[in-house]
Amino acid sequence: ILNVEQSPQSLHVQEGDSTNFTCSFPSSNFYALHWYRWETAKSPEALFVMTLNGDEKKKGRISATLNTKEGYSYLYIKGSQPEDSATYLCAPTGNQFYFGTGTSLTVIP
Amino acid sequence: EAGVAQSPRYKIIEKRQSVAFWCNPISGHATLYWYQQILGQGPKLLIQFQNNGVVDDSQLPKDRFSAERLKGVDSTLKIQPAKLEDSAVYLCASSRTGTGVLNTEAFFGQGTRLTVV
């Protein structure tokens, strides 16, 4: 079982602010790092899958970076919008998906 | 393509009662996962199936939880008898291959919110 830590646990930002979260994980036995977005009453939705050290992925205003040597990934949201409000989960995979506790983001209009 | 289907969406039961959840994964997905997500915590894997075989059930409380995936398609998760601490969201997910393959993405259902009173 991997120990996956996400910080902060929750975050409130004003509309238009940029923000970022951290996912920390053991760097051994690493296959890939997944980011999921989970809105209330909906299914968790995959945002990114990253595998290589130094990987950077981008989807619209959201981007993510990966450092497999030191065991962390950052998720950035530029110009937050109310529709970005959700819980963001990271999951490094070894033999299974190991989910962190998530970062709950609330964007205040 | 259709997504992962789960039912029911919500369930309220008294402690010591039994409950069952159903999951229909995406067609063609060999791997099926059941997760338990307790409020304030991340999803915890209960059981992982590859086709109709169990890959990992190390975190499944086997004294009260059971799961099966007959014919390698649909799956049911049962709790008997339920305890107060079983109150959680139960998520089913499926993926085309197992997690040992790079870039495997899991697709989730909407979950079943269980409240045990």
Side-chain angles (χ1 to χ4, degrees):
Chain A
I1 299 175
L2 292 181
N3 184 26
V4 182
E5 295 184 357
Q6 288 189 248
S7 62
Q9 189 170 4
S10 66
L11 195 56
H12 290 72
V13 301
Q14 290 292 135
E15 182 176 353
D17 287 351
S18 294
T19 186
N20 64 85
F21 330 130
T22 304
C23 171
S24 302
F25 53 89
S27 54
S28 59
N29 254 356
F30 176 85
Y31 278 125
L33 191 285
H34 299 248
W35 279 100
Y36 282 85
R37 180 170 177 272
W38 192 5
E39 285 183 75
T40 303
K42 294 187 178 180
S43 311
E45 173 192 3
L47 286 174
F48 305 112
V49 179
M50 295 181 287
T51 57
L52 299 176
N53 185 45
D55 251 356
E56 183 169 343
K57 294 283 180 81
K58 188 174 181 181
K59 185 185 290 187
R61 295 178 291 98
I62 305 176
S63 60
T65 60
L66 178 65
N67 184 322
T68 60
K69 292 183 179 179
E70 295 183 36
Y72 64 84
S73 175
Y74 294 138
L75 187 81
Y76 301 91
I77 302 179
K78 184 178 178 181
S80 303
Q81 299 296 308
E83 57 265 31
D84 297 329
S85 297
T87 295
Y88 291 83
L89 294 164
C90 73
T93 59
N95 296 321
Q96 57 172 266
F97 290 91
Y98 297 95
F99 283 93
T101 53
T103 293
S104 174
L105 173 67
T106 302
V107 181
I108 304 164
Chain B
E1 64 184 353
V4 176
Q6 285 189 251
S7 67
R9 288 292 308 278
Y10 305 93
K11 191 75 177 178
I12 301 174
I13 61 172
E14 294 182 349
K15 59 183 179 183
R16 292 188 288 274
Q17 285 188 321
S18 302
V19 65
F21 313 130
W22 173 82
C23 174
N24 180 233
I26 292 174
S27 177
H29 280 194
T31 305
L32 185 146
Y33 315 82
W34 280 104
Y35 286 89
Q36 179 194 58
Q37 196 257 336
I38 294 173
L39 190 65
Q41 300 179 20
K44 181 183 84 171
L45 180 72
L46 292 175
I47 190 166
Q48 177 179 342
F49 292 95
Q50 183 77 14
N51 297 309
N52 60 351
V54 175
V55 173
D56 186 344
D57 64 355
S58 57
Q59 298 188 88
L60 186 73
K62 298 180 185 64
D63 57 334
R64 298 183 300 105
F65 286 64
S66 64
E68 59 182 11
R69 190 184 184 195
L70 299 175
K71 301 180 182 178
V73 182
D74 292 8
S75 177
T76 54
L77 176 71
K78 296 179 182 177
I79 307 176
Q80 181 180 7
K83 292 185 176 180
L84 297 176
E85 58 261 36
D86 298 332
S87 295
V89 174
Y90 291 85
L91 288 166
C92 177
S94 70
S95 62
R96 192 172 299 278
T97 58
T99 52
V101 178
L102 290 175
N103 296 332
T104 295
E105 178 183 343
F107 295 83
F108 286 83
Q110 289 183 294
T112 296
R113 182 174 296 276
L114 173 68
T115 302
V116 182
V117 297

